[in-house]
Amino acid sequence: AQRVTQPEKLLSVFKGAPVELKCNYSYSGSPELFWYVQYSRQRLQLLLRHISRESIKGFTADLNKGETSFHLKKPFAQEEDSAMYYCALSKSGSRLTFGEGTQLTVNP
Amino acid sequence: GAVVSQHPSWVICKSGTSVKIECRSLDFQATTMFWYRQFPKQSLMLMATSNEGSKATYEQGVEKDKFLINHASLTLSTLTVTSAHPEDSSFYICSASPPEGARFEQYFGPGTRLTVT
């Protein structure tokens, strides 16, 4: 069965500091992995997907199949990055399995 | 961009009654819609996958007779919580996938807060 684990429920950093949100997954096939973000009082929205290898809002995430990880990173955190972040896995291209989420707080 | 709406945004009902929640894709046609449930401070749990014109596919442990899903058109899916009980109180979120473009694209609705008294 597929599973997504985000070990940190809460993560607090100062503005300008690097931030890394951890995500590990278990899946026997070739997964498609995503990061979703939910800002305060807003709906869930896609931040980035691993197959695009893109950087959105300064965030990047690299799929490490050896470590079965898809950690989200940003070199310099901003206050507006404060939000709930969910790592998600898809095995069939549509059905998503979400991790527990990490609440990121960027302090001034 | 693609917009998904939900109605109502919140609802309070008495135990034993039924509640219908609507999910609409406003500017695109969605052959597939998904229904999630989210408890406070917890993640989204997929309840079912709704396909236009066919029966919904329910996740293990989700009672299909309790959570009735209808996807009668390409822009509307409904979730009816039948004979609601306080333990059904939760945040229900839908998402929709457009048929064209990236197959993994899901656009989420704002959610519906259900409170059963």
Side-chain angles (χ1 to χ4, degrees), chain B residues 30-35 48-57 69-72 76-78 95:
Chain B
T31 53
T32 304
M33 290 184 172
F34 303 89
W35 287 96
T49 302
S50 170
N51 295 296
E52 188 268 336
S54 64
K55 290 184 178 181
T57 303
I69 292 173
N70 184 280
H71 194 158
L76 173 65
S77 176
T78 60
S95 70

Side-chain angles (χ1 to χ4, degrees), chain B residues 7-36:
Chain B
H7 178 80
S9 56
W10 60 271
V11 58
I12 301 173
C13 71
K14 291 186 177 181
S15 186
T17 62
S18 296
V19 174
K20 180 184 284 188
I21 302 170
E22 294 184 348
C23 177
R24 292 182 185 274
S25 56
L26 298 185
D27 50 4
F28 67 99
Q29 295 183 327
T31 53
T32 304
M33 290 184 172
F34 303 89
W35 287 96
Y36 297 86

Side-chain angles (χ1 to χ4, degrees), chain A residues 9-55:
Chain A
K9 283 190 178 295
L10 302 171
L11 183 61
S12 183
V13 300
F14 285 103
K15 177 182 175 181
V19 63
E20 180 180 65
L21 291 85
K22 291 183 167 54
C23 172
N24 290 91
Y25 66 91
S26 62
Y27 177 59
S28 57
S30 295
E32 294 180 27
L33 284 147
F34 312 85
W35 276 98
Y36 281 82
V37 61
Q38 187 170 30
Y39 300 102
S40 180
R41 300 184 184 281
Q42 295 187 27
R43 67 188 67 195
L44 200 65
Q45 56 185 287
L46 178 65
L47 179 62
L48 53 80
R49 67 202 84 172
H50 90 270
I51 65 170
S52 299
R53 303 186 66 81
E54 56 197 348
S55 173

